[in-house]
Amino acid sequence: FQNWSVYKEAIVFVRLADEACEKLPRERMRSIVDQLRRASQSIPLNIAEGSGRYTKAEKVNFFRVARGSVFECTAILDVLRAMPLNIEADFNSLEERLASIGKMLSGFIRFIQKEEPKCDK
């Protein structure tokens, strides 16, 4: 899984999200910053955990949880945009990365669900 593009992109997103969190005022934003950090970390962690599962259903479940965390991060960015922060934060580039990761995860889920079972002859 460490060589998968979706995993690598998710790891980059964790770093970028953390950098964005460092720019936010801690005293006002503690809970939302914590939520963004945890949700961003959930993406690669669930990709990794899903890769280690044996059944399609288990794999798909973890990849869906990862995709759910992508949507959660997107919503957090929307909340942050709605607040008067007075900072220079590039939430658009973070959102673009999330869109890309979400598309990769959706494609991954479709691929796994369509994969034909292999039978030994």
Side-chain angles (χ1 to χ4, degrees):
F1 70 89
Q2 290 173 305
N3 293 322
W4 295 348
S5 295
V6 67
Y7 179 80
K8 290 178 181 180
E9 284 296 315
I11 292 295
V12 169
F13 180 77
V14 169
R15 180 180 53 80
L16 295 174
D18 188 66
E19 288 173 5
C21 287
E22 286 299 312
K23 295 176 184 175
L24 297 171
R26 291 178 196 249
E27 63 281 350
R28 286 185 51 218
M29 311 298 296
R30 182 165 299 169
S31 63
I32 196 84
V33 164
D34 183 53
Q35 190 70 21
L36 180 56
R37 283 187 168 128
R38 287 185 291 119
S40 68
Q41 292 166 6
S42 173
I43 301 167
L45 296 176
N46 278 289
I47 292 168
E49 191 163 356
S51 75
R53 298 301 172 142
Y54 291 103
T55 68
K56 284 184 190 184
E58 285 182 304
K59 288 178 186 294
V60 166
N61 181 56
F62 280 95
F63 299 144
R64 283 183 176 151
V65 171
R67 191 177 61 185
S69 294
V70 167
F71 287 108
E72 182 179 2
C73 288
T74 302
I76 292 168
L77 295 177
D78 289 341
V79 169
L80 290 170
R81 272 195 192 98
M83 302 176 106
L85 297 174
N86 299 324
I87 60 161
E88 292 293 323
D90 188 7
F91 296 138
N92 289 335
S93 70
L94 291 175
E95 213 163 52
E96 288 170 8
R97 283 192 176 274
L98 287 169
S100 175
I101 293 166
K103 287 176 186 175
M104 285 190 271
L105 284 168
S106 292
F108 214 55
I109 290 166
R110 281 192 304 276
F111 174 78
I112 291 169
Q113 290 175 326
K114 289 181 183 178
E115 196 175 60
E116 291 296 319
K118 297 176 184 160
C119 29
D120 296 327
K121 292 186 179 182

